[in-house]
Amino acid sequence: MSTELTGVPGSGVQNETTRIHNIGYRNYEGPRLGRAYARRSLYSQSLRGAYGLGRSAKSKVLPMILFAVMCLPAAIIVAVAVATKLKDLPLDYTRYAIVTQAVIGLFLAAQAPQSVSRDLRFKTVPLYFSRPIERIDYVLAKYGAMASALFVLTAAPLVVLYIGSLLAKMDFVDQTKGFAQGMVSVALLSVLFGGIGLVMAALTPRRGFGVAAVIATMTITYGAVSTVQAIAWETGSPEVIKWLGLFSPVTLIDGVQTAFLGATSAFPGEAGPGAGPGTVYLLVVLALVAGSYAVLMRRYRKVGL
């Protein structure tokens, strides 16, 4: 279809031709899936991307190796327990993530920048915020995906330990209780570490800087706190040890599970917090989780323009 308009006296159009062409576009009349579907899709793709699924083979190597490294000690413990007919596991469920915290930190340092830094670097965030997804949807999807990826990483070896304990015919009630406490601990760890890792990674579009920031936040703080705690123990100041644990994400989780989940503390002399100081630990963890979410929302209010 075309309409031609030529010069008409008094119309202000002189010796010009205007044509309107129908090129076949039609309005979309199908279902509108909306924000919820977009948020679920972003969550799913981000979670899959944390393990390299749907990406190149090269992208799968590191996360899969780290996943295997997390599960291998659990498999060895189970094999030894079954072969020697132990009555209890040599490593508590709540202790496993603390012992393997270096592997968890490496996974977070590698995958948190991959989740958010690429969007910042290639300036695709405004495309997400066009329609129908909004800033809160993006933050919730990315935060949820990172926490879920960490939970899969930390919960899988606990499942291996639990299944192994049942195969070794250990006490069902005790093992189920310990397994439940361990799952609560790694769930809290995943939410806390996921938020901190995304905040560090979202500060820069440079993936290398994001990796360095996450490693510094998770590893250096733990090393510094552990060193000062050891000095406090050697100098006869055990009361200071439990309060020093407030300054590292790893020791925060250690303190919470020691106070409320029946775990044995990894602090020097096992001088973990009781219920009173443990409440402070829990409040600090919740404040860090809420603060991480607030920082991410503020960050993407700027970059989404």
Side-chain angles (χ1 to χ4, degrees):
M1 177 183 69
S2 64
T3 300
E4 183 174 308
L5 176 64
T6 56
V8 178
S11 67
V13 180
Q14 299 294 331
N15 298 324
E16 295 182 3
T17 300
T18 302
R19 290 184 175 85
I20 301 175
H21 297 277
N22 182 356
I23 58 177
Y25 288 120
R26 292 184 297 178
N27 292 331
Y28 176 72
E29 298 177 355
R32 301 285 181 175
L33 299 177
R35 288 174 56 189
Y37 177 81
R39 183 169 55 245
R40 288 195 303 270
S41 298
L42 182 58
Y43 166 82
S44 174
Q45 292 299 319
S46 299
L47 177 56
R48 285 166 53 85
Y51 287 93
L53 303 178
R55 300 171 60 203
S56 65
K58 181 180 178 181
S59 301
K60 297 179 178 66
V61 174
L62 181 59
M64 291 305 177
I65 289 177
L66 293 176
F67 183 82
V69 170
M70 280 292 294
C71 294
L72 183 60
I76 294 174
I77 290 172
V78 166
V80 172
V82 172
T84 58
K85 298 181 180 180
L86 294 177
K87 298 299 181 181
D88 203 359
L89 292 172
L91 182 64
D92 293 338
Y93 294 97
T94 49
R95 287 277 292 153
Y96 196 92
I98 302 299
V99 172
T100 57
Q101 56 88 20
V103 181
I104 301 172
L106 286 176
F107 180 89
L108 181 63
Q111 301 309 316
Q114 183 275 328
S115 181
V116 295
S117 296
R118 288 165 58 90
D119 291 342
L120 295 171
R121 182 177 180 182
F122 296 109
K123 303 185 185 302
T124 57
V125 175
L127 298 179
Y128 283 113
F129 296 166
S130 54
R131 283 191 310 176
I133 200 171
E134 295 184 4
R135 176 166 50 103
I136 187 173
D137 301 314
Y138 182 89
V139 172
L140 286 176
K142 290 293 184 178
Y143 199 152
M146 193 70 256
S148 298
L150 287 171
F151 183 73
V152 171
L153 180 75
T154 53
L158 301 189
V159 174
V160 174
L161 288 176
Y162 182 63
I163 294 175
S165 69
L166 298 182
L167 292 175
K169 298 180 180 180
M170 297 179 185
D171 186 80
F172 176 78
V173 175
D174 288 344
Q175 294 303 316
T176 302
K177 179 181 178 181
F179 175 68
Q181 291 172 335
M183 294 297 278
V184 172
S185 175
V186 297
L188 189 61
L189 179 148
S190 300
V191 175
L192 175 62
F193 283 23
I196 294 175
L198 287 181
V199 167
M200 295 296 103
L203 294 178
T204 173
R206 301 280 186 174
R207 183 175 180 179
F209 291 162
V211 170
V214 174
I215 291 177
T217 302
M218 305 304 297
T219 304
I220 295 179
T221 56
Y222 176 70
V225 168
S226 298
T227 300
V228 177
Q229 284 179 326
I231 294 173
W233 176 257
E234 292 296 331
T235 56
S237 304
E239 289 299 318
V240 180
I241 294 176
K242 58 176 172 287
W243 299 112
L244 291 172
L246 294 171
F247 299 97
S248 165
V250 178
T251 53
L252 276 173
I253 297 299
D254 187 294
V256 170
Q257 66 182 20
T258 300
F260 301 111
L261 298 175
T264 301
S265 178
F267 292 177
E270 298 182 358
T279 302
V280 179
Y281 273 70
L282 182 59
L283 291 175
V284 172
V285 169
L286 296 177
L288 285 174
V289 170
S292 297
Y293 172 78
V295 170
L296 288 171
M297 288 291 290
R298 183 177 180 84
R299 170 63 170 157
Y300 284 101
R301 180 169 58 187
K302 296 180 178 180
V303 301
L305 297 178

